[in-house]
């Protein structure tokens, strides 16, 4: 499957490493930022302690707001990142890809008003 970037793309060129293709090159979302990787699908990163440093999370635009895919840990830096990322948008649903704490930890918080 080939990823087609939006026409307003300002990302770096694609790169490859050990047989994997990275269509966004070295570009990654900064804290509180999202990158649209396909129409209505946004990539963000949340901080996590330890050597991993971050978790990838996703937003999918849908009628009435955004679906959140994976949530981050129940820590204040993750909550603050979500406040910035969501910027008043309504969370319509939360989808968790698997049962690790960094993927489901803020599911309950995100389903409530999180101002």
């Amino acid at each position: 499957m080939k990823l087609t970037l939006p026409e307003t793309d300002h990302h770096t060129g694609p790169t490859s490493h050990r047989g994997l293709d990275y269509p966004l090159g070295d570009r990654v979302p900064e804290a509180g930022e999202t990158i649209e990787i396909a129409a209505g699908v946004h990539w963000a990163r949340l901080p996590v302690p330890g050597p991993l440093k971050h978790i990838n999370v996703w937003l999918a635009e849908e009628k009435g707001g955004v679906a959140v895919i994976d949530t981050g840990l129940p820590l204040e830096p993750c909550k603050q990142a979500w406040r910035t990322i969501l910027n008043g948008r309504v969370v319509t649903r939360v989808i968790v890809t698997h049962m690790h704490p960094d993927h489901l930890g803020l599911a309950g918080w995100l389903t409530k008003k999180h101002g």
Side-chain angles (χ1 to χ4, degrees), residues 16-108:
S16 293
H17 178 71
R18 297 184 182 194
L20 296 174
D21 293 325
Y22 297 91
L24 300 179
D26 294 331
R27 175 97 164 94
V28 297
E30 299 296 325
E33 174 190 28
T34 65
I35 296 175
E36 187 172 38
I37 61 165
V41 179
H42 303 267
W43 170 33
R45 284 182 160 185
L46 300 178
V48 295
L52 187 58
K53 305 272 188 253
H54 70 271
I55 176 180
N56 294 307
V57 296
W58 313 90
L59 290 87
E61 296 174 13
E62 57 185 11
K63 186 176 182 176
V66 292
V68 169
I69 302 146
D70 289 331
T71 69
L73 290 166
L75 302 172
E76 189 54 38
C78 289
K79 290 177 181 180
Q80 186 55 49
W82 273 122
R83 289 182 190 107
T84 302
I85 291 165
L86 292 171
N87 193 25
R89 289 187 276 195
V90 173
V91 175
T92 53
R93 59 183 150 168
V94 174
I95 301 165
V96 176
T97 60
H98 61 281
M99 301 300 281
H100 288 166
D102 56 334
H103 290 263
L104 66 83
L106 284 173

